[in-house]
């Protein structure tokens, strides 16, 4: 099995035959059953998050020097922080993502979607046209961060994802280290210049007295995790819904788009794996795991576990327990952006279907996929949009919205 491009059959075989299995090449212990994955995430004392952001292919000394020269470091802050400082930092970030702040973004997400759809004519790629930059713009706005070159942010963040989670050669590591270092340097200078009395994330970190190095590490993770994952979710959702007969035309029904998003998160989660370290010897599914073992939690495998989800390969938006999936993790480190990601995907799906009711995929074959250890989603969603809905049709479908 290719850990970077696993197929559903690979995950099934792991769950059935080797639910806790040490991968020789990476040294990671693959954990694939729902109950085991949830138990690990739920127990921060026996399973530490310290390796969450460790490069999958170790970064060799010459490449580390490129990063070090830029002052690059990722100290424990959020996802990789098992220490006492986690709770305060998490509280600081969560102030920007309260349910009320997130809910208020609905109209802005619809507006950004509409602007992107204005440019759609003839054959198009929904990944490039809609999914690519919208989540970054929304994230920057909710964090109050202004004056950002969004194309540069996307280039920095896709390079960073590949550097830390890709199956990369030494040459590629060299190429990727430069944009990763540039991103970190940019963050550091923006944080240093921030006004502690300001209303943005950088100012809030200064006001709380978070050391610059920690603040830069936190923002590096947040500005990547808070938008690349949602881009991936949008592309996965477009693709999943368009592949099934009869779903696109139902996206205006109350609750239907949200239910589709939940099914995508369960069956095709963009964050397909996440890591932990066993702090002591443990037994999972009858297998003894030594202290210090790095675990790879197969979030995608857990969402397709037939012991929890009936007929797991079927895309079934009416599934009563769809929200039990672990696509956003579980417990102390549960994703702070889950509500925002869900809202973005729901609004984007619904608005796109409303505007282009006859839109369809140009091919029924599998799309090219992003294949990183922890991130998996279509890299393109090629469609034929068809005619946009006229004002009368738009009005009648709008009245069916929530
Ligand atoms: C589809 C989109 C997303 C997915 C699938 C996703 C998934 C995840 C996962 C699996 C974790 C680790 C949870 C754990 O260790 O238990 C996580 C953590 C986190 N996510 Fe997300 N995420 C998404 C979007 C976002 C967004 C939009 C934001 C911010 C606006 C965000 C911010 C965070 C933060 C700050 C953490 C670390 C929380 C902590 O350690 O306390 N994520 N996410």
């Amino acid at each position: 099995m290719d850990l970077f491009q696993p197929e559903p059959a690979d995950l099934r075989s792991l769950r059935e035959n080797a639910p806790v299995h040490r991968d020789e090449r990476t040294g990671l212990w693959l954990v694939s059953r729902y109950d085991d994955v949830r138990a690990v995430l739920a127990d921060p004392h026996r399973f530490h998050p310290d390796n969450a952001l460790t490069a999958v292919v170790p970064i060799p000394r010459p490449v580390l020097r490129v990063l070090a020269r830029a002052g690059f470091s990722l100290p424990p802050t959020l996802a990789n922080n098992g220490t006492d400082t986690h709770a305060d930092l998490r509280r600081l970030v969560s102030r920007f993502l309260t349910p009320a702040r997130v809910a208020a973004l609905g109209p802005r997400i619809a507006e950004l979607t509409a602007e992107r759809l204005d440019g759609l004519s003839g054959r198009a790629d929904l990944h490039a046209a809609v999914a690519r930059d919208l989540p970054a713009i929304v994230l920057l706005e909710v964090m109050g961060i202004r004056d950002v070159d969004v194309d540069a942010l996307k280039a920095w963040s896709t390079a960073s994802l590949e550097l830390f989670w890709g199956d990369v050669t030494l040459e590629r590591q060299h190429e990727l280290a430069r944009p990763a270092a540039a991103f970190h340097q940019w963050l550091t200078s923006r944080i240093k210049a921030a006004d502690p009395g300001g209303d943005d994330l950088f100012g809030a970190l200064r006001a709380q007295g978070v050391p610059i190095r920690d603040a830069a590490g936190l923002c590096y993770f947040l500005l990547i995790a808070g938008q690349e994952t949602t881009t991936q979710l949008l592309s996965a959702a477009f693709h999943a819904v368009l592949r099934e007969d009869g779903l696109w035309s139902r996206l205006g029904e109350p609750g239907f788009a949200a239910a589709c998003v939940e099914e995508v998160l369960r069956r095709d989660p963009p964050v397909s794996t996440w890591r932990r370290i066993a702090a002591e010897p443990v037994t999972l599914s009858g297998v003894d795991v030594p202290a210090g073992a790095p675990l790879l939690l197969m979030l995608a495998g857990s969402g397709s576990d037939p012991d929890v989800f009936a007929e797991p390969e079927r895309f079934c938006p009416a599934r009563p327990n769809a929200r039990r999936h672990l696509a956003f993790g579980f417990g102390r480190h549960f994703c702070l952006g889950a509500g925002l990601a869900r809202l973005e995907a729901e609004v984007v799906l619904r608005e796109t279907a409303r505007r282009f009711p006859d839109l369809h995929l140009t091919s029924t074959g599998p799309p090219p996929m992003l294949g990183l250890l922890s991130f998996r989603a279509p890299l393109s969603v090629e469609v034929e949009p068809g005619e946009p809905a006229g004002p009368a049709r738009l009005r009648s479908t709008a009245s069916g919205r929530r």
Side-chain angles (χ1 to χ4, degrees):
M1 141 184 192
D2 179 355
L3 260 192
F4 296 82
Q5 299 276 0
E7 296 295 330
D10 297 325
L11 298 172
R12 195 178 322 127
S13 162
L14 277 177
R15 263 193 324 266
E16 287 171 7
N17 309 317
V20 179
H21 162 79
R22 186 173 181 281
D23 176 62
E24 285 304 324
R25 187 181 152 210
T26 56
L28 292 163
W29 292 69
L30 316 188
V31 179
S32 48
R33 285 188 183 155
Y34 180 95
D35 285 347
D36 288 332
V37 172
R38 191 171 183 277
V40 171
L41 290 169
D43 187 346
H45 301 292
R46 290 198 305 161
F47 302 99
H48 293 171
D50 309 30
N51 61 345
L53 311 181
T54 304
V56 180
V57 176
I59 301 181
R61 222 176 271 273
V63 181
L64 280 177
R65 270 199 292 274
V66 175
L67 295 172
R69 271 200 298 273
F72 187 103
S73 73
L74 291 178
T77 54
L78 289 170
N80 61 343
N81 189 356
T83 77
D84 291 347
T85 58
H86 173 256
D88 281 349
L89 291 171
R90 185 174 164 97
R91 207 169 302 118
L92 184 153
V93 174
S94 67
R95 288 209 306 266
F96 290 85
L97 295 164
T98 59
R101 274 178 79 106
V102 169
L105 286 166
R108 175 65 177 140
I109 298 166
E111 180 185 50
L112 286 167
T113 310
E115 280 170 22
R116 275 145 193 77
L117 295 176
D118 285 344
L120 221 61
S121 68
R123 204 180 153 129
D125 171 11
L126 291 180
H127 174 84
V130 182
R132 199 185 80 88
D133 66 352
L134 185 148
I137 296 170
V138 173
L139 179 69
L140 292 166
E141 290 186 8
V142 79
M143 294 293 159
I145 302 172
R146 299 163 190 94
D147 302 324
V148 181
D149 177 343
V150 173
D151 284 337
L153 173 68
K154 292 299 288 187
W156 288 334
S157 59
T158 51
S160 301
L161 276 192
E162 192 183 340
L163 178 63
F164 285 92
W165 283 277
D167 190 8
V168 276
T169 60
L170 173 62
E171 194 188 353
R172 188 75 183 136
Q173 284 173 316
H174 263 292
E175 284 168 17
L176 296 167
R178 273 189 291 275
F183 185 18
H184 199 280
Q185 267 177 329
W186 176 83
L187 283 167
T188 304
S189 66
R190 285 290 300 257
I191 293 163
K192 280 185 179 161
D195 171 8
D199 60 358
D200 63 331
L201 174 69
F202 298 152
L205 288 160
R206 295 300 304 274
Q208 191 148 318
V210 177
I212 300 285
R213 184 171 154 270
D214 293 11
L218 181 150
C219 292
Y220 182 83
F221 166 72
L222 186 67
L223 293 194
I224 295 172
Q227 49 88 20
E228 284 298 329
T229 48
T230 312
T231 289
Q232 294 160 12
L233 175 61
L234 296 181
S235 292
F238 276 135
H239 200 269
V241 172
L242 286 166
R243 241 179 50 185
E244 304 283 328
D245 279 342
L247 298 190
W248 190 250
S249 59
R250 295 185 54 199
L251 287 170
E253 293 174 15
F256 194 73
C260 287
V261 171
E262 231 44 62
E263 260 306 76
V264 175
L265 286 162
R266 178 193 67 78
R267 195 192 63 178
D268 314 313
V271 180
S272 53
T273 71
W274 206 242
R275 283 172 289 171
R276 287 289 193 269
I277 293 178
E280 56 186 65
V282 289
T283 305
L284 289 169
S285 276
V287 177
D288 291 332
V289 177
L295 308 180
L296 186 69
L297 308 177
M298 313 298 280
L299 303 181
S302 72
S304 296
D305 189 332
D307 288 346
V308 180
F309 303 104
E311 293 185 82
E313 294 312 326
R314 214 159 66 86
F315 190 83
C316 177
R319 191 180 286 280
N321 65 347
R323 278 177 81 105
R324 274 187 75 191
H325 64 72
L326 302 168
F328 292 117
F330 185 77
R332 184 179 285 183
H333 293 272
F334 181 79
C335 176
L336 275 175
L340 178 58
R342 282 181 162 126
L343 179 71
E344 285 184 54
E346 179 192 338
V347 172
V348 168
L349 273 183
R350 206 174 45 219
E351 293 300 314
T352 309
R354 191 164 79 90
R355 180 81 164 273
F356 289 102
D358 302 323
L359 184 145
H360 56 272
L361 289 172
T362 53
S363 148
T364 50
M369 296 291 283
L370 177 68
L372 304 177
L373 184 79
S374 293
F375 303 94
R376 203 161 153 67
L379 285 167
S380 68
V381 185
E382 299 284 345
V383 296
E384 191 62 62
E387 285 302 309
R393 202 161 161 189
L394 276 180
R395 260 197 311 279
S396 69
T397 40
S399 62
R401 289 162 62 204
R402 285 204 296 177

